[in-house]
């Protein structure tokens, strides 16, 4: 099937982004912006997928709202499509449910670990069965994948969003951008408001809503055909001036929530301290921020300061000190010029700085995206505060910024538009109330929505250990403290309150989600909250819930339990068989390694037939090495000819370095590796090659916007900078790959491979850890990390990771990776300068097999077919159709389903030239791809102390093409 990706042209695609945002975390204003279409199609669809109907239901109770959207997507094309909907959520919102129609009935999704969800979705999709997956990508961004949308058919999706509405001038406020649902053939909106002090009111040009009152509250219904909205819809629900308490039950535990109105402070603005640190995010993603708005806010801040001193730190892939600046009578001109001149480039590493005890307050100006580096965010002293400033809107990780600032005595200041600037300045400079102490009697695990009380409301949730309890809060405001007592008790049995508590717990971990990955995933799965570690999954076939060990929705539990009982014994047997299978395959590799293959010219079939005529039997004709080999393949093209054909390869292989000499044995083989030099012929590449070394980076910045989404562009530029010795600039350019797409493991793999090639081992380890967290279901993720760990000196971790790869129960399309992983594991053990602990490894799997020559090929595209070819001095090509050559060359299983690795090995090499080629047959991906990036490692003296390696990364842009990668010359 062909997949068409439905993507937005702006940050909001399916804007479930009711622009209401959590109090004390975001200051916002309505912006008159033209929204993108709900669905846009890239690729070869004849007609765009349309939104046939949209039904929106809003239920409110006090300050909490639940919005349910049922969407019907119609495919008018003659082909089956997969749809991908990407959308952001605002602060204060969470996905509370997702369902996909199966056989005409909406089936609820169930929570699964994120990596598991992606694995199952892609595995099921390959079988042509209906899956649906909702996952968080990065920050507040979410992705919904639906398969299939039938030709001339439709699919229905239900999404449930819960939110804590912000308080605004005595009312709860919800902004529903119904214009993003514009174009639906049919549209309906139902509003049910309970627990409100009066009838809701409507703002915007959507049109009037007629609310009718009944015993449950206020209700309104709107139905329209051929719906065309001219703007958004803002609903205001009158808020009570009394404290409100809510309760709910989940898995036998009772949770409570208190909502306390707090009058807005009339205290004058504070004066900032005279020693301030500005942490300025100057990564590539900073280009989406409102820099003029940030300068306007800083202008108000420094005018309030009057006189002081500022220390600047620029945050990119590697942090950089930006200097110190004096502020005189609010004049910060010199600092502003420095910020205006800062180049926005490279990945985002927000943790690369060290607090200075002399600085009282830090301003982190950033979009909150963290995608590079392994450091934890610095901890401040008790007298220091951190304020986070975010103008990037939906293209940001507001949750991370809010958690970082909240835990360090400050708050997040997030706004968009000039109209909201005054409110942002007040939030930055105000002396509003803040929680300084929080205790409970009969209620534990207390969590505030935010410790900074803003917009006139304080919200706290906890878990009851008794039928009733007391929450005690101490607030500090303008230097004064006051205590609040809240009585709470179990009542309702709904699950909204438990989910809100879980979401606030998760938000508290959001400052360092990498550190709290397990806790976030545990809460997400327990409370069905979509997080960075938990997704929601729908499966069609009941057996798939058993096959992938996934808890089913309630209506399928009995059927799944029966199947589980039947398959439990089979599963136990398969575990014990796996080790034996791996050991048997390893023994076959060892038998090959021990075989002495001939090193003369192979006997041709013609010579064999002639000899047979003069012999009594064919068996009397001896051919060393076993069976008669196939006729040798034609010799590979000369390097110059192949290089001319390489114009089909569009990018970034490293230029050939000086020949590396590796002695295989003291008195025997000497082999040299030569990599084929590449010179991309694109206009930008020609321009940069012609520039002086010191001008390349400036020319790259000039070209960048024209190639901002091209992996090849950054690889090419990084190579050119490395050639000229501009290593720091090269690594910064290369790190942009981490900024290209949120949560794209394929791009991150390329980055990791290229960092390995550049010998940036620790940076590669961090990148491959990210990839492994994203794609644990792919054995290549573990193998890549293991090789980076070994290169960085962490050999014990490396062999443990490779052991897991070798014995893992992987999808059958990855058959053959065990032999490669064991080969690499044993080589690391044999060449380690210190003995490694190997007691956990079955003795049948411990045998190093040194090699004269080895080649390993890996690539970044799933469901694609790449082949490794090695042609020896006999002219014989070793490849998938000729896996063992006359002189003993051996190639691994052919990976036709993506990633590789494929491996060529030769224990004893005869003298001569060995040509290494990669052949791209194409892919079966259901997405539009721009090519495949290959990484090839060529080694001599493999598994010995004399091992020498060279690595090349290049990109093939067409289909059914081959390139010469390099050569071994054996003497």
């Amino acid at each position: 099937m062909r997949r068409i990706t439905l993507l937005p042209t702006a940050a909001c695609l399916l804007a479930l982004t009711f622009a209401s945002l959590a109090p004390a975390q975001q200051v916002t204003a309505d912006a008159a912006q033209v929204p993108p279409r709900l669905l846009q199609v890239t690729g070869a669809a004849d007609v765009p997928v349309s939104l046939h109907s949209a039904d929106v239901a809003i239920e409110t109770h006090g300050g909490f709202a639940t919005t349910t959207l049922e969407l019907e997507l119609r495919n008018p094309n003659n082909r089956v499509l997969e749809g991908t909907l990407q959308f952001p959520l605002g602060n204060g919102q969470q996905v509370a449910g997702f369902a996909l129609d199966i056989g005409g009935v909406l089936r609820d999704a169930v929570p699964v670990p994120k990596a598991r969800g992606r694995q199952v979705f892609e595995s099921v999709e390959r079988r042509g069965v209906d899956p649906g997956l909702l996952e968080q990508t990065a920050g507040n961004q979410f992705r919904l994948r639906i398969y299939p949308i039938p030709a001339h058919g439709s699919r229905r999706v239900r999404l449930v969003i819960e939110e804590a509405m912000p308080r605004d001038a005595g009312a709860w406020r919800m902004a529903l951008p119904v214009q993003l649902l514009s174009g639906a053939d049919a549209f309906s909106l139902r509003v049910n408001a309970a627990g409100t002090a009066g009838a809701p009111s409507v703002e915007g040009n959507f049109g009037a809503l007629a609310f009718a009152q009944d015993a449950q509250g206020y209700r309104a219904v709107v139905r329209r055909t051929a719906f065309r909205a001219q703007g958004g819809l803002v609903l205001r629900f009158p808020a009570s001036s009394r404290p409100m308490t809510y309760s709910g039950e989940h898995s036998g535990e009772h949770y409570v929530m208190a909502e306390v109105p707090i009058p807005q402070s009339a205290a004058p603005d504070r004066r900032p301290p005279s020693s301030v640190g500005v942490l300025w995010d100057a990564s590539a993603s900073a280009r989406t921020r409102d820099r003029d708005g940030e300068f306007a806010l800083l202008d108000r801040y420094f005018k309030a300061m009057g006189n002081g001193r500022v220390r600047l730190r620029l945050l990119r892939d590697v942090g950089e000190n930006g200097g110190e600046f004096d502020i005189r009578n609010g004049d910060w001109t010199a600092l502003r010029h420095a910020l205006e001149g800062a180049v926005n480039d490279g990945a985002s590493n927000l943790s690369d700085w060290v607090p200075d005890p002399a600085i009282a307050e830090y301003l982190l100006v950033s979009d909150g995206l963290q995608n590079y580096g392994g450091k934890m965010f610095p901890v401040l002293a008790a007298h220091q505060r951190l304020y986070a400033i975010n103008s990037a809107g939906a293209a940001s990780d507001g949750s991370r910024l809010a958690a970082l600032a909240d835990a360090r005595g400050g708050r997040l200041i997030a706004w968009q538009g000039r109209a909201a600037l005054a409110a942002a300045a007040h939030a930055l400079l105000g002396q509003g109330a803040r929680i300084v102490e929080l205790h409970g009697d009969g209620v534990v695990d207390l969590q505030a929505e935010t410790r900074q009380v803003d917009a006139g409301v304080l919200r706290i949730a906890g878990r009851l250990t008794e039928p009733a309890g007391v929450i005690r809060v101490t607030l500090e405001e303008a230097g004064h403290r006051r205590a609040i007592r809240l009585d709470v008790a179990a009542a309702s049995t709904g699950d909204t309150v438990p989910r809100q508590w879980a979401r606030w717990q998760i938000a508290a971990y959001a400052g360092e989600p990498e550190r709290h990955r397990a806790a976030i995933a545990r809460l997400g799965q327990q409370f069905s909250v979509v997080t960075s570690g938990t997704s929601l999954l729908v499966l069609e076939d009941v057996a798939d819930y058993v096959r992938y060990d996934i808890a089913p929705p309630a209506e399928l539990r009995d059927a799944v339990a029966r199947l589980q009982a039947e398959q439990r014994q089979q599963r136990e047997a398969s575990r014990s068989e796996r080790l034996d299978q791996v050991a048997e395959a390893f023994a076959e590799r060892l038998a090959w390694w021990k075989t002495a293959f001939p090193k003369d010219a192979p006997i041709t079939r013609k010579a064999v037939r002639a000899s047979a005529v003069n012999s009594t039997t064919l068996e009397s004709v001896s051919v060393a090495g076993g069976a008669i080999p196939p006729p040798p393949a034609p010799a590979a093209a000369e390097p110059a000819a192949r290089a001319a054909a390489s114009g089909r390869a569009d990018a970034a292989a490293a230029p050939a370095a000086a020949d590396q000499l590796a002695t295989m044995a003291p008195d025997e083989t000497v082999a040299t590796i030569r990599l084929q030099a590449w010179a991309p012929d694109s206009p930008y590449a020609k321009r940069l090659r012609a520039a002086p070394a010191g001008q390349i980076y400036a020319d790259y910045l000039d070209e960048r916007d024209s190639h901002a989404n091209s992996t090849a562009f950054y690889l090419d530029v990084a190579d050119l900078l490395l050639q000229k010795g501009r290593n720091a600039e090269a690594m910064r350019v290369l790190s942009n790959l981490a900024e290209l797409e949120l949560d794209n493991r394929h791009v991150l793999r390329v980055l990791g491979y290229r960092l390995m090639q550049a010998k940036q081992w620790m940076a590669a380890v961090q990148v491959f850890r990210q990839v492994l967290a994203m794609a644990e279901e792919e054995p290549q993720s573990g193998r890549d990390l293991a090789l980076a760990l070994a290169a960085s000196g962490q050999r014990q971790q490396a062999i443990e990771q490779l052991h897991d790869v070798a014995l893992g129960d992987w999808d059958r399309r990855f058959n053959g990776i065990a032999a490669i992983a064991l080969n690499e594991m044993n080589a690391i053990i044999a060449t380690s300068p210190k003995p490694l602990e190997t007691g956990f490894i079955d003795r049948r799997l411990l045998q190093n097999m040194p090699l004269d020559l080895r080649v390993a090929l890996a690539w970044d595209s799933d469901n694609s077919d790449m082949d490794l070819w090695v042609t020896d001095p006999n002219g014989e090509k070793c490849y998938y159709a000729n896996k063992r050559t006359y002189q003993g060359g051996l190639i691994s299983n052919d990976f036709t389903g993506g990633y590789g690795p494929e491996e060529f090995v030769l224990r004893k090499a005869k003298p001569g030239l060995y040509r290494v080629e990669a052949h791209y047959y194409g892919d079966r991906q259901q997405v539009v791809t721009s090519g495949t990036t290959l990484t090839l490692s060529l080694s001599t003296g493999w598994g010995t102390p004399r091992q020498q390696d060279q690595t090349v990364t290049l990109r093939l842009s067409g289909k059914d093409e081959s390139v010469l990668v390099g050569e071994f010359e054996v003497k």
Side-chain angles (χ1 to χ4, degrees):
M1 300 296 183
R2 184 171 184 79
R3 170 191 292 172
I4 303 298
T5 303
L6 313 177
L7 295 173
T9 55
C12 298
L13 167 76
L14 173 62
L16 311 176
T17 56
F18 312 141
S20 51
L21 300 167
Q25 294 184 355
Q26 176 117 356
V27 181
T28 186
D30 297 328
Q33 299 178 350
V34 177
R37 292 172 56 91
L38 171 67
L39 301 172
Q40 292 202 348
V41 178
T42 60
D46 302 318
V47 182
V49 171
S50 64
L51 177 62
H52 178 61
S53 65
D55 297 318
V56 181
I58 299 173
E59 303 258 355
T60 70
H61 185 70
F64 297 92
T66 300
T67 301
T68 302
L69 297 98
E70 289 198 9
L71 310 176
E72 183 179 354
L73 309 178
R74 179 159 293 178
N75 175 15
N77 299 282
N78 293 323
R79 67 197 75 182
V80 174
L81 304 178
E82 177 195 323
T84 301
L85 304 176
Q86 298 195 36
F87 58 93
L89 290 182
N91 291 329
Q93 297 178 326
Q94 67 180 6
V95 176
F98 156 53
L100 178 67
D101 65 314
I102 302 292
V105 177
L106 286 170
R107 177 175 294 174
D108 287 322
V110 294
V112 293
K114 184 176 181 179
R116 189 65 168 162
R118 181 188 291 124
Q119 173 199 8
V120 173
F121 179 92
E122 294 178 355
S123 177
V124 171
E125 182 187 47
R126 275 189 286 271
R127 303 198 333 257
V129 185
D130 294 16
L133 180 67
L134 179 62
E135 58 186 350
Q136 185 176 354
T137 54
N140 296 331
Q141 306 291 321
F142 295 79
R143 176 170 57 219
L144 173 62
R145 301 174 66 181
I146 305 166
Y147 179 87
I149 305 177
H152 298 289
S154 62
R155 296 301 297 271
R156 287 190 301 132
V157 176
R158 181 175 64 214
L159 293 169
V160 181
I161 309 297
E162 293 179 343
E163 64 176 308
M165 295 184 288
R167 195 173 175 112
D168 179 23
W172 304 116
R173 184 179 187 277
M174 168 185 279
L176 175 65
V178 291
Q179 70 271 25
L180 291 173
L181 305 176
S182 184
D185 297 331
F187 171 85
S188 70
L189 171 65
R190 289 176 290 116
V191 181
N192 295 330
T196 179
S201 60
V202 179
E203 297 177 359
N205 55 6
F206 175 81
L209 290 179
F211 283 94
Q213 187 177 11
D214 60 21
Q216 303 301 318
Y218 294 86
R219 302 177 183 274
V221 177
V222 174
R223 291 186 176 87
R224 297 181 183 177
T225 57
F227 178 62
R228 302 293 183 269
Q230 299 302 316
L233 168 64
V234 175
L235 299 174
R236 295 174 61 86
F237 305 90
S240 172
S241 60
R242 298 179 296 104
M244 300 284 290
T245 61
Y246 312 87
S247 65
E249 185 268 340
H250 183 83
S251 297
E253 298 277 3
H254 289 272
Y255 297 80
V256 291
M257 183 183 304
E259 188 176 80
V260 185
I262 302 293
Q264 294 279 35
S265 172
D269 286 349
R270 68 187 179 93
R271 182 170 184 171
S274 59
S275 59
V276 172
V278 173
L279 306 169
W280 186 264
D281 182 352
S283 64
S285 64
R287 291 179 290 167
T288 66
R289 301 200 321 253
D290 177 9
R291 192 171 66 168
D292 289 341
E294 292 168 349
F295 287 164
L297 180 61
L298 291 177
D299 189 60
R300 298 191 184 201
Y301 179 84
F302 290 122
K303 283 180 179 177
M305 173 191 285
N307 297 314
R309 190 164 182 80
V310 176
R311 179 172 298 174
L312 174 63
R313 178 75 170 178
L314 301 175
L315 302 177
R316 302 188 186 93
D317 57 314
V318 176
E320 177 184 350
N321 290 325
E324 296 190 8
F325 304 86
D326 289 322
I327 309 299
R328 292 288 180 261
N329 298 319
D331 183 359
W332 62 292
T333 303
L335 172 59
R336 176 168 180 151
H337 286 164
L339 296 177
E340 288 174 335
V343 174
N344 294 328
D345 191 33
S348 299
N349 183 1
L350 304 184
S351 302
D352 194 10
W353 59 285
V354 177
D356 182 346
I359 291 177
E361 189 164 291
Y362 280 95
L363 303 180
L364 172 60
V365 187
S366 173
D367 55 18
L369 299 179
Q370 168 75 32
N371 50 38
Y372 209 67
K375 297 180 181 178
M376 294 299 179
F377 197 86
V379 176
L380 300 183
H383 70 281
Q384 296 175 306
R385 289 174 293 187
L386 174 74
Y387 287 85
I389 296 173
N390 174 22
S391 65
S396 66
D397 191 345
S399 297
R400 183 189 293 267
L401 291 174
L404 289 174
D406 206 47
R408 291 163 179 78
R411 60 174 297 178
L412 168 62
I413 315 298
W415 82 104
Q416 286 185 287
R418 288 282 175 171
L421 186 60
H426 177 70
L428 178 60
L429 297 170
Q431 301 185 72
R434 177 179 176 80
I435 298 173
V436 292
E437 292 181 9
L438 188 58
H439 303 287
D441 298 328
V443 56
V444 297
D445 299 332
L446 289 171
Q447 185 64 55
E449 181 182 31
T450 172
R451 287 187 170 265
Q452 189 76 38
V453 181
D454 197 11
V457 67
L458 165 69
R459 289 179 171 129
I460 298 170
R463 179 172 57 85
L464 280 172
T465 57
E466 299 178 12
V470 176
I471 298 175
R472 305 180 190 276
V473 187
T474 301
L475 299 179
E476 183 176 77
E477 185 175 10
H480 302 286
R481 292 195 175 193
R482 62 168 167 152
I484 297 176
R485 173 191 168 111
L486 301 167
D487 294 308
V488 294
S492 170
T493 59
D495 55 6
T496 298
V497 170
R499 266 198 302 269
Q500 288 291 343
W501 172 85
R503 189 181 67 79
W504 294 347
Q505 289 279 5
I506 292 167
Y509 293 137
E512 296 177 305
E514 301 81 9
R515 180 180 178 185
H516 301 291
R517 180 178 294 118
I520 292 172
R522 185 170 57 251
L523 286 167
Q525 292 178 57
Q526 182 180 352
F527 292 89
S528 297
V529 176
V530 178
T531 71
S532 57
T534 303
S535 301
L536 294 179
L537 178 69
V538 177
L539 297 174
E540 175 187 14
D541 190 346
V542 175
D544 282 335
Y545 290 95
V546 180
R547 180 179 292 112
Y548 299 109
D549 196 21
I550 292 173
E555 65 270 21
L556 299 180
R557 285 174 188 165
D558 290 343
V560 168
R562 288 193 296 270
L563 288 174
Q564 285 175 330
E566 295 171 3
Q567 296 187 12
R568 193 170 291 117
Q569 292 181 342
Q570 298 176 6
R571 206 175 275 178
E572 290 297 327
S574 66
R575 290 193 187 101
S576 62
E577 291 172 359
R578 173 65 182 163
L579 176 60
D580 291 339
Q581 292 171 353
V582 171
E584 182 180 348
F586 191 69
E588 292 176 2
R589 168 69 72 94
L590 184 59
W592 161 84
W593 185 78
K594 291 179 176 179
T595 301
F597 291 94
K599 300 303 170 184
D600 57 353
I603 302 173
T604 66
R605 293 185 182 275
K606 181 177 180 180
V608 170
R609 287 194 296 270
S611 300
V613 170
N614 298 319
S615 304
T616 58
T617 64
L618 183 61
E619 282 72 17
S620 66
V621 181
S622 175
V623 180
I628 301 172
E638 291 301 315
R642 181 64 69 195
S646 70
R648 293 173 295 181
D650 86 2
D659 289 349
Q660 300 278 340
L661 195 64
T663 304
M664 310 300 292
D667 57 351
E668 292 187 48
T669 310
V670 174
T672 302
I673 302 172
R674 285 192 294 269
L675 297 183
Q676 180 66 46
W678 299 97
D681 58 359
S682 60
Y684 70 76
K686 293 178 180 178
R687 176 189 179 188
L688 297 180
R689 277 199 302 272
Q695 182 63 30
I696 293 176
Y697 187 74
D699 289 350
Y700 146 75
L701 292 174
D702 182 55
E703 294 277 359
R704 180 177 58 178
D705 286 348
S706 300
H707 312 280
N709 295 319
S710 168
T711 304
F713 173 72
Y714 296 106
L715 291 171
D716 281 348
V717 175
D719 278 335
L720 290 169
L721 288 167
L722 284 171
Q723 286 180 49
K724 302 294 185 181
R726 314 283 292 192
N727 291 3
E729 291 173 346
M731 291 302 99
R732 175 166 298 165
V733 169
L734 190 62
S735 74
N736 280 280
L737 296 183
E739 300 263 291
L740 279 186
E741 291 186 51
L742 300 178
D743 208 24
N744 188 321
R745 67 193 188 278
H746 308 303
V747 174
L748 287 179
R749 273 200 179 102
V750 176
L751 172 59
Y753 294 154
R754 200 60 183 84
L755 288 169
M756 290 283 285
Q757 185 179 335
K759 295 180 172 56
Q760 299 293 315
W761 315 125
M762 290 307 300
V765 166
Q766 295 302 326
V767 169
F768 285 133
R769 286 196 192 279
Q770 287 180 261
V771 175
L772 180 60
M774 294 176 186
E776 295 175 344
E777 73 275 11
E778 296 169 350
Q780 292 82 359
S781 303
R783 173 183 177 263
D784 291 338
L785 174 58
L787 298 183
L789 287 167
S792 67
Q794 302 174 75
R795 296 178 180 84
Q796 184 66 43
Q797 291 186 49
I799 65 169
E800 291 170 4
Q801 189 73 58
L802 286 169
H803 182 261
D804 289 345
V805 170
L807 296 183
D809 184 15
W810 310 111
D811 188 282
R812 61 185 181 183
R813 67 197 178 103
F814 300 128
N815 286 345
I817 198 168
I820 297 172
L822 291 175
N823 185 18
E824 292 165 337
M825 180 188 75
N826 280 289
I828 294 170
I829 294 170
T831 58
S832 175
K834 297 180 180 179
L836 301 178
E837 170 55 46
T838 61
F840 62 95
I841 303 173
D842 188 285
R843 309 314 294 175
R844 293 174 292 174
L845 306 181
L846 282 172
Q847 174 65 58
N848 186 39
M849 305 180 202
L851 304 167
D852 273 6
L853 306 181
R854 179 184 187 260
V855 182
L857 165 67
W859 58 96
D860 70 320
S861 297
D862 194 5
N863 289 321
S864 55
D865 188 359
M866 191 73 55
D867 283 327
L868 175 63
W869 296 348
V870 179
T871 305
D872 67 15
N874 293 329
E876 185 177 4
K877 182 191 296 182
C878 193
Y879 68 120
Y880 72 92
N882 185 36
K883 291 188 174 182
R884 183 176 297 186
T885 66
Y886 175 77
Q887 68 150 322
L890 179 69
I891 204 159
S892 61
N893 283 359
D894 183 24
F895 280 85
T896 62
Y899 304 129
E902 294 188 8
E903 179 190 48
F904 168 82
V905 289
L906 181 59
R907 179 179 181 182
K908 179 65 178 176
K910 68 177 291 184
L913 199 64
Y914 295 77
R915 292 187 171 89
V916 179
E917 297 173 274
H919 185 92
Y920 181 30
Y921 278 102
D923 64 66
R924 300 178 305 283
Q925 299 188 81
Q926 295 178 325
V927 293
V928 179
T929 59
S930 58
T932 294
T933 301
L934 319 182
T935 297
L936 292 100
S937 297
L938 285 70
S939 303
T940 59
W942 172 264
T944 74
R946 296 171 295 278
Q947 179 174 325
Q948 295 289 329
D949 308 293
Q950 289 198 46
T951 302
V952 60
T953 301
L954 57 101
R955 189 168 180 86
L956 300 184
S957 58
K959 296 186 177 181
D960 196 16
E961 60 180 314
S962 61
V963 291
L964 176 68
V965 177
E967 297 173 334
F968 294 103
E969 185 175 2
V970 178
K971 298 180 180 178

